[in-house]
Amino acid sequence: MSQYLLSERPSESIQSIQPRPFSPQARVRAEEIVAAVRDRGDDAVLSYAREFGELREGRPLFSRNDCLQAMKRIDPEIVDLLERSAARIRAFASAQRSALSNVDISIPGGAAGHRIIPLERAGCYVPGGRYPLVSSLLMSVVTARVAGVEEIWVATPRPSDEMLAAAAIAGATGVLSIGGAHGIAAFAHGFAGVAPCDCIVGPGNSYVTAAKFLVSAHVRIDMLAGPSELVVIADRSSSPALIAADLLAQAEHDPEAVPTLITLDRAIVSVVSNELERQLAGLSSAPTARAALQNGCVVVVPTVEEAARVSNVLAPEHLQLSLMHPERIVPLLKNYGGLFVGEGSAEVIGDYCAGPNHVLPTGGTGRSRCGLSVFDFIKVATWLRIDDRTQANDLYTDACSLAELEGLPGHRAAAEGRIND
């Protein structure tokens, strides 16, 4: 099958793919940058920003008012587009937030529970290199605002007026005109009067991801996201043209992206390959997409159950079900970042404007976590209250016994002193 853009692999050979989210070289460089920012503060951040040509108009920071002014300078139709997209993201995040509630249960002698507490300050990283991702700004900032975060900063190199306008619409406090590992370090250690953030979210290149890993010991992060991934599960009812378009939409992200086709119909393999060639001919991002196709594969399977098994092994970032009866396979699917059910549910609208978040786990980590959500911007803080010590005697007694079992006499004394007090 070497003549096809996607090489065929037998389903039994499919293994979980867990590439490193960043290279060893990126980690070494990021360590140098993070340490410099930690030790030298703003001077180091500005030095790197100037080195990489990231400052817009020589300015390191744009206030909320600057962002509001940018809205007046761009096409009103673009403003409307950003506002519509933000509204859908906000509606979905609001529904997620409404699913969370405080807990209050009775215990002997009192009560216990938890409170939902938003984080105070969030840093949202937005890539500004090959493709400035306005959509990523909306996805992260709107979600943080709905979660109740009071102060939300964006870091992105050379922000355009469209990016500044998106920040205003999403509810950002302001925008830092910096990127890379030093942008992450600025979030972690503070920069230009902005205090250190409580969490850092958003996708980025290998250096950004390495920096997130390095600061994660003292700052909460969302995930260590690697190159984009898409698995399309298709049958003979699927449109080869749409399959090819979906695969290329992810392939054009990055030469390291991983587009994969799982099909129940061998006959469409050659047709999809021809479609890929045809569509690549008119695609300005063809060199990137063609390189990414070499990372993926096509897997022909006999049953829906086997398709689900292979998909669960891969745990892809995006999972597109281009099937006649997609509802049959949904209960069998356990591991993925985002699920797109039916051929009309194009993954690309999930990337942009449908509502669910597009910051999703990669590299097989969909087995253990989900995409960015309001949950990333809150704390679930437990509490306990004893009002009647006599009624709580059973708790104190059990605590004494457990302390003795563990060999901690101070713990026992602290509990024992409250029995019948």
Side-chain angles (χ1 to χ4, degrees):
M1 306 297 288
S2 59
Q3 71 270 29
Y4 297 145
L5 285 170
L6 289 174
S7 60
E8 184 174 340
R9 291 179 58 186
S11 63
E12 59 269 19
S13 74
I14 296 296
Q15 296 180 342
S16 173
I17 302 172
Q18 285 190 291
R20 291 176 175 174
F22 50 85
S23 67
Q25 295 84 356
R27 173 170 178 160
V28 170
R29 181 59 173 150
E31 283 181 327
E32 296 172 358
I33 293 172
V34 170
V37 173
R38 183 191 62 228
D39 296 339
R40 293 170 35 225
D42 289 8
D43 288 344
V45 175
L46 289 171
S47 177
Y48 288 120
R50 293 189 184 104
E51 177 184 346
F52 296 113
E54 294 174 345
L55 301 180
R56 174 180 166 175
E57 302 165 4
R59 300 175 58 185
L61 186 149
F62 290 83
S63 68
R64 176 158 182 79
N65 186 59
D66 294 326
C67 296
L68 290 168
Q69 292 301 313
M71 290 179 63
K72 301 175 182 178
R73 297 194 294 268
I74 66 174
D75 188 332
E77 291 188 2
I78 293 179
V79 174
D80 290 343
L81 171 65
L82 295 173
E83 288 180 335
R84 289 196 304 273
S85 300
R88 296 189 193 102
I89 296 166
R90 188 175 297 112
F92 189 84
S94 296
Q96 286 184 320
R97 179 63 183 87
S98 67
L100 303 172
S101 61
N102 294 337
V103 167
D104 187 333
I105 67 168
S106 296
I107 64 172
H114 74 226
R115 294 172 56 213
I116 305 297
I117 305 174
L119 302 181
E120 296 180 29
R121 188 176 300 104
C124 299
Y125 188 86
V126 179
R130 185 185 292 114
Y131 306 110
L133 300 182
V134 174
S135 57
S136 289
L137 187 153
L138 296 176
M139 292 285 178
S140 56
V141 176
V142 169
T143 305
R145 184 61 69 194
V146 170
V149 179
E150 294 180 6
E151 194 174 337
I152 307 168
W153 290 92
V154 173
T156 189
R158 300 171 300 279
S160 64
D161 279 345
E162 288 78 10
M163 193 74 83
L164 295 176
I169 290 167
T173 305
V175 176
L176 306 180
S177 185
I178 53 176
H182 49 291
I184 299 300
F187 277 153
H189 298 290
F191 171 67
V194 177
C197 293
D198 301 311
C199 70
I200 300 173
V201 306
N205 63 20
S206 187
Y207 298 95
V208 168
T209 306
K212 286 173 70 175
F213 170 77
L214 292 168
V215 303
S216 64
H218 62 276
V219 179
R220 183 170 174 175
I221 66 169
D222 53 348
M223 65 191 80
L224 299 175
S228 187
E229 304 161 351
L230 170 67
V231 166
V232 177
I233 301 180
D235 59 18
R236 66 181 57 194
S237 73
S238 309
S239 161
L242 288 179
I243 293 172
D246 288 340
L247 292 169
L248 290 175
Q250 287 306 303
E252 73 176 355
H253 268 295
D254 190 311
E256 301 300 317
V258 185
T260 299
L261 171 62
I262 301 173
T263 178
L264 286 84
D265 181 18
R266 177 176 293 279
I268 72 170
V269 175
S270 60
V271 185
V272 169
S273 185
N274 291 336
E275 273 293 331
L276 287 170
E277 288 285 10
R278 183 185 70 80
Q279 293 182 32
L280 277 167
L283 200 64
S284 61
S285 55
T288 299
R290 190 178 289 276
L293 289 170
Q294 305 308 305
N295 305 321
C297 65
V298 57
V299 183
V300 180
V301 295
T303 65
V304 164
E305 290 75 15
E306 180 64 3
R309 186 195 69 80
V310 173
S311 178
N312 284 331
V313 169
L314 292 172
E317 178 187 18
H318 308 96
L319 178 54
Q320 171 79 48
L321 306 181
S322 295
L323 299 164
M324 181 177 292
H325 300 293
E327 67 280 358
R328 287 179 54 202
I329 196 173
V330 171
L332 305 177
L333 299 169
K334 308 297 182 184
N335 305 327
Y336 53 82
L339 180 64
F340 304 86
V341 184
E343 194 167 71
S345 307
E347 186 279 324
V348 69
I349 65 169
D351 265 355
Y352 285 130
C353 55
N357 213 286
H358 80 193
V359 181
L360 298 168
T362 65
T365 57
R367 285 187 296 277
S368 58
R369 69 152 296 134
C370 296
L372 187 72
S373 72
V374 293
F375 311 121
D376 290 287
F377 299 101
I378 62 169
K379 298 180 291 187
V380 180
T382 61
W383 57 268
L384 182 148
R385 187 185 72 248
I386 298 297
D387 301 312
D388 188 321
R389 294 188 183 184
T390 299
Q391 291 185 13
N393 272 350
D394 285 349
L395 295 181
Y396 300 140
T397 301
D398 284 350
C400 288
S401 298
L402 287 166
E404 187 171 343
L405 181 65
E406 293 182 347
L408 295 169
H411 282 60
R412 178 184 175 91
E416 197 168 40
R418 289 172 167 81
I419 295 177
N420 294 322
D421 182 15

